[in-house]
Amino acid sequence: MYVARIVKQVFQFTKSLLFNYECILCRESSDKSLCQHCEESLSNESIVYKRRSIIINEQGVNIYSFNHYHDHTKKLLGMFKYEKNHLAGEALCYYFAATFKRQSTLEDIDMILPVPSHRLRYLVRGFNQADILANSIAHNSNSTLFLNTISKYKYTKAQAQSDFTTRQNQPMNTFRQKSPLKANHLLIVDDVITTGATIKAIISMLQADGNNQINKISVLTLCRV
Ligand SMILES: [Zn+2]
């Protein structure tokens, strides 16, 4: 019995070294990255689906967001972006895709375009969170993911570190398109939307290029400030 208990303890210790046995948010013991309580809270946050419409050069664009930038969503996004916690990223992608699937007005999207990050930020962070979120949508739809079709060539401060006026002014003339796009319904994906200036800059750029053929544009972000 004693030997069996020791073997079991060694086995559990080894497993605890190899796998995450606590919730990444509340640190309560859990066999998944999020405990049931945090999972339900995050899921409940996504039930209220925020939506607003803006007009850009006479074209109506619907903007959808998974949630406000607060609580579990904010904490997980911070862990994902700044601490490179892939479990936090996986949890966000799972609920982001689940929310997307509930939105029938996005069923007909055929092209997904993540908002690019500047090459310098990409090198520092090692990834662009919008690419990863967009990829989770691509896996749950009949659409094509276009990475690197547009680039951000002007370095701007992280959104969280800039004030409202700076955020409004900085995105103009910061993006370039590398190749023309043809889409019936294009979905632009980003992690956070604040003033909407980044989105407006990208859509204005797409509209200005006569080689693009895009019938409809929608925007989906993980959260809105
Ligand atoms: Zn928890």
Side-chain angles (χ1 to χ4, degrees), residues 23 26 35 38:
C23 172
C26 69
C35 71
C38 289

Side-chain angles (χ1 to χ4, degrees), residues 202-220:
I202 289 173
I203 293 175
S204 298
M205 179 191 69
L206 295 176
Q207 289 168 331
D209 188 337
N211 293 316
N212 291 326
Q213 293 175 30
I214 305 167
N215 291 332
K216 188 177 172 186
I217 300 176
S218 296
V219 177
L220 177 64

Side-chain angles (χ1 to χ4, degrees), residues 186-199:
L186 169 70
L187 185 69
I188 299 175
V189 172
D190 204 0
D191 57 336
V192 185
I193 187 165
T194 48
T195 62
T198 298
I199 295 299

Side-chain angles (χ1 to χ4, degrees), residues 22-28 30 33-39 72:
E22 57 180 31
C23 172
I24 57 173
L25 281 175
C26 69
R27 297 291 173 201
E28 288 293 320
S30 168
S33 52
L34 290 184
C35 71
Q36 195 179 348
H37 174 73
C38 289
E39 199 176 67
H72 289 350

Side-chain angles (χ1 to χ4, degrees), residues 134-147:
N135 192 42
S136 74
I137 299 298
H139 275 102
N140 286 279
S141 64
N142 295 317
S143 54
T144 309
L145 176 62
F146 279 77
L147 297 173

Side-chain angles (χ1 to χ4, degrees), residues 61-90:
V61 176
N62 285 330
I63 300 179
Y64 305 83
S65 298
F66 170 79
N67 190 18
H68 278 291
Y69 183 58
H70 70 171
D71 293 349
H72 289 350
T73 307
K74 182 178 179 180
K75 195 169 176 185
L76 284 171
L77 187 59
M79 291 164 74
F80 178 36
K81 283 167 73 171
Y82 307 117
E83 299 168 24
K84 298 179 184 177
N85 185 324
H86 73 278
L87 292 174
E90 278 177 13

